[in-house]
Amino acid sequence: MKGQTLHIIFLVAALLLIDLYILSGLRSVSKKWLFLQKRSFMIWYGIVSVLLVTGLIFVVFVKMGLVIRLAFVMLFFVIFLFKISFIPFLLIDDIRRLILAIKNRVSRRGGSHPPLSPHTPLPAIPRSEFLMKAGLLAGAIPLAAVKLNMKSGLYDYHVIRRKLYLPNLPKSFDGIKLGQISDIHSGSFFNKKAVLGGVEMLMREKADFIFFTGDLVNAITDEVKDYVDIFSKVKAPLGVYSCLGNHDYGDYAWWPSAAAKRKNLYELIATHKTMGWDLLMNGNRRLKVDGEEIGILGIENWGELSRFPKYGRMDLAVKNTDDLPVKLLLSHDPSHWRAQVLPQYPQIDAMFSGHTHGMQMGVRTEHFQWSPIQYIYNEWAGYYHQGPQQLYVNVGYGFLGFRGRVGILPEITIFELKTGTDPTLKIHSTT
């Protein structure tokens, strides 16, 4: 939590400094923009900035309605995107003014103007109205682009392939294919044909076994009833294994009684069975190929942040698995890896998670990725390792809160299991 706290402090300081710089730039613009010179503008700008930053921290650490939380996050980063697009023009104008100031001082010292005392200030150089207007336009362009691309990314499923090296992997498993999807959030879908297209894309990969790492629904089991026939098509020769996510327990819905909430959970568990998925709730399975075995372990949700439940029991999940050479863990929340798995369960070779969605907004390429969610989660998308232990975070099949994905597209992950050590990695480093 210490590292997370430092990230929060750094983020808050950076956001407030950005706002201070923008405010000072706006107030030094041409006097024609009279409203920028008013004290009331400065006060309201400061109030809104502080409220936005405070609200961002609030929605991260306080349990509240999902739509409200994610709508606020979306609002915050839309405004932030505008500010970031505007800042380069402020910088360019500041550089221009600095150059002009230097030229003025040099020319005066050269004798072309009456000499000045070293303490004589130069006349103020006004900001360029052209650059300011260009900055405002530049800030509007990415907002328009985000609006146009939000929905187009919702069902733009991408297959990500990678080799997963496991030093103790039995030879019978070398070259076997594992598929992973996560965070279906069926209550958000509105295009069954597109959802089916993603499932068909997964099936064309012909994975030998498949993991689903939690969050089948947003709040209640009824959300998935119209999609059971589609996800029942997710099958593999060696089985489909699943675990629960924080949204699957009904914790985000209102229930008339505790019994009604329990009934909802039982129905969700039954849905996994109906679809032919082997739901692991603090348990394990032995996967056998040609007489050799590896372990598949799955726990209930366990989140480090206080607002996420800790239903998971690793002590039960690892029971009777000491003889297995490789143990693969399904655990929905990636914060579980650093908080509990690394320090207490060194026998876990690889963990598979989801949960973050990459915040459905950011940049993700083969060699670079960034999203605001990284200031909350140390591990939030893709592959990580520390020593011999590994983690993969899938950014999700579905979406939640707002109907949009920008830069962080829905993911289908295909792993090829390989016996040995990854030649591209230093085994004692963390990535």
Side-chain angles (χ1 to χ4, degrees), residues 66-81:
L66 298 173
V67 174
I68 295 175
R69 185 170 75 243
L70 288 173
F72 179 88
V73 170
M74 182 62 179
L75 171 65
F76 177 90
F77 284 103
V78 164
I79 294 173
F80 180 72
L81 182 61

Side-chain angles (χ1 to χ4, degrees), residues 87-155:
I87 281 178
F89 291 86
L90 282 177
L91 288 172
I92 291 170
D93 200 42
D94 280 335
I95 293 170
R96 178 190 69 85
R97 295 166 74 205
L98 177 61
I99 292 172
L100 288 176
I102 293 172
K103 283 183 176 180
N104 286 345
R105 186 169 290 278
V106 169
S107 66
R108 288 181 181 276
R109 286 180 177 176
S112 58
H113 297 278
L116 293 176
S117 162
H119 303 291
T120 302
L122 290 171
I125 299 170
R127 285 199 177 274
S128 164
E129 288 194 40
F130 168 76
L131 284 172
M132 293 297 291
K133 291 177 180 178
L136 293 173
L137 178 61
I141 290 174
L143 299 187
V146 167
K147 177 64 177 177
L148 290 173
N149 287 282
M150 277 174 54
K151 287 190 177 181
S152 65
L154 287 178
Y155 301 106

Side-chain angles (χ1 to χ4, degrees), residues 157 177-184 189 192 194-214 216 224 227-243 271-279 330 394 397 411-414:
Y157 301 106
K177 290 174 71 174
L178 162 63
Q180 182 194 5
I181 57 173
S182 190
D183 297 84
I184 286 173
F189 291 144
K192 291 189 70 173
V195 174
L196 175 59
V199 168
E200 291 172 341
M201 185 181 297
L202 170 61
M203 291 296 94
R204 285 196 293 270
E205 295 295 321
K206 299 187 184 303
D208 296 291
F209 63 117
I210 295 172
F211 289 166
F212 170 68
T213 45
L216 184 62
V224 75
Y227 295 90
V228 169
D229 58 332
I230 292 177
F231 289 108
S232 294
K233 299 178 186 296
V234 176
K235 298 187 181 300
L238 298 178
V240 178
Y241 303 88
S242 58
C243 68
T271 299
H272 280 250
K273 185 174 182 180
T274 297
M275 295 189 301
W277 297 2
D278 190 352
L279 178 62
L330 285 73
N394 181 294
Y397 188 90
E411 176 180 354
I412 296 166
T413 321
I414 302 296

Side-chain angles (χ1 to χ4, degrees), residues 42-60:
M42 182 174 65
I43 293 173
W44 280 110
Y45 187 97
I47 290 173
V48 171
S49 296
V50 171
L51 286 176
L52 284 172
V53 173
T54 303
L56 182 64
I57 297 172
F58 189 81
V59 299
V60 169

Side-chain angles (χ1 to χ4, degrees), residues 252-272:
Y252 301 101
W254 179 86
W255 301 101
S257 65
K261 183 179 178 182
R262 284 195 300 271
K263 181 175 181 291
N264 175 78
L265 179 58
Y266 296 151
E267 290 173 349
L268 187 131
I269 293 169
T271 299
H272 280 250

